[in-house]
């Protein structure tokens, strides 16, 4: 199994390190041809607008969208969740627009307002979660499940082969969310029904 990590900006190394710890081959994705043969792709945390600018310039934006629409499992963390979202309530553009959620960018305010919390997630137990200028999920479509919440707010969501967290599982050393994604990437996984 090979899982790609979008490698134009953001915490790429942290995701690659987590995959390595779990014995899964990771591949930095910088160009469209790096998508060939992947079993899944991770969109890291960072700055969604910067990532999108670079993805558009390299042709990755279209290539990644096409691959996801063709069924490639994708996991977005923080900025990666914003890239996946169908709508960004406080930004004029939409990026990949493949995950049926509306998010508000920078809902936790400035960098100094970043915080850690325990998130209760279905089937995974309590997860330590780091929020850094995190998006807030304001709406979820009927095909989206909130797997984890902080208070009332969904912070870990799944829609078929798409998984997104508004926090950074790649920064805590807790590998359970990555393990869930790896499971979703296994061939023949009936994610359509999950
Ligand atoms: N605020 C960033 C954005 O809008 C996301 C922050 C993060 O990934 N830690 O892209």
């Amino acid at each position: 199994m090979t899982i790609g990590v979008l490698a134009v900006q953001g915490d790429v190394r942290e995701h690659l390190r987590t995959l390595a710890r779990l014995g899964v081959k990771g591949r930095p994705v910088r160009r469209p041809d790096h998508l060939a043969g992947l079993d899944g792709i991770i969109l890291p945390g960072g700055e969604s607008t910067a990532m999108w600018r670079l993805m558009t310039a390299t042709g990755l934006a279209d290539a990644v969208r096409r691959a996801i629409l063709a069924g490639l499992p994708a996991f977005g963390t923080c900025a990666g969740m914003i890239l996946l979202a169908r709508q960004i309530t406080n930004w004029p553009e939409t990026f990949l627009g493949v995950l049926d959620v509306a998010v508000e960018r920078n809902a936790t305010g400035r960098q100094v307002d970043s915080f850690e919390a325990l998130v209760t997630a279905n089937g995974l137990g309590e997860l330590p979660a780091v929020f850094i200028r995190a998006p807030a999920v304001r709406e979820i479509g009927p095909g989206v499940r909130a797997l984890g919440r902080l208070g009332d707010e969904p912070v870990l969501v799944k829609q078929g082969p798409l998984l997104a967290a508004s926090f950074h599982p790649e920064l805590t050393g807790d590998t359970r969310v990555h393990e869930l994604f790896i499971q979703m990437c296994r061939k023949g996984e009936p994610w359509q029904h999950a």
Side-chain angles (χ1 to χ4, degrees), residues 34-193:
H34 294 157
L35 291 167
L38 290 183
D39 297 289
I41 185 163
I42 295 176
L43 311 175
E47 184 55 42
S48 54
T49 53
M51 282 193 228
W52 188 249
R53 200 163 359 95
L54 295 163
M55 288 173 78
T56 309
T58 52
L60 263 178
D62 278 349
V64 169
R65 183 191 280 119
R66 270 201 305 273
I68 291 174
L69 291 177
L72 181 69
F75 172 28
T77 62
C78 201
M81 175 190 253
I82 299 171
L83 288 178
L84 290 171
R86 160 180 64 77
Q87 195 198 337
I88 306 164
T89 59
N90 54 347
W91 193 252
E93 293 173 281
T94 293
F95 304 127
L96 294 166
V98 292
L99 175 68
D100 193 8
V101 298
V103 298
E104 179 185 333
R105 284 187 67 211
N106 300 331
T108 54
R110 302 190 308 148
Q111 204 87 17
V112 293
D113 302 319
S114 300
F115 63 98
E116 276 188 62
L118 279 178
V119 163
T120 310
N122 287 9
L124 301 178
E126 282 206 323
L127 301 167
V130 180
F131 293 85
I132 306 169
R133 302 190 75 209
V137 176
R138 295 298 182 212
E139 255 174 58
I140 63 174
V144 181
R145 276 202 301 159
L147 295 185
R149 290 180 191 271
L150 185 64
D152 285 341
E153 188 184 296
V155 293
L156 178 65
V157 297
K158 182 175 184 304
Q159 174 192 327
L162 305 180
L163 182 68
S166 55
F167 56 96
H168 292 273
E170 71 279 18
L171 297 182
T172 53
D174 188 302
T175 55
R176 282 173 287 172
V177 185
H178 286 78
E179 285 170 55
L180 170 65
F181 181 59
I182 290 165
Q183 211 179 314
M184 289 165 58
C185 295
R186 290 199 200 290
K187 295 232 159 44
E189 173 72 13
W191 45 255
Q192 295 93 327
H193 310 296

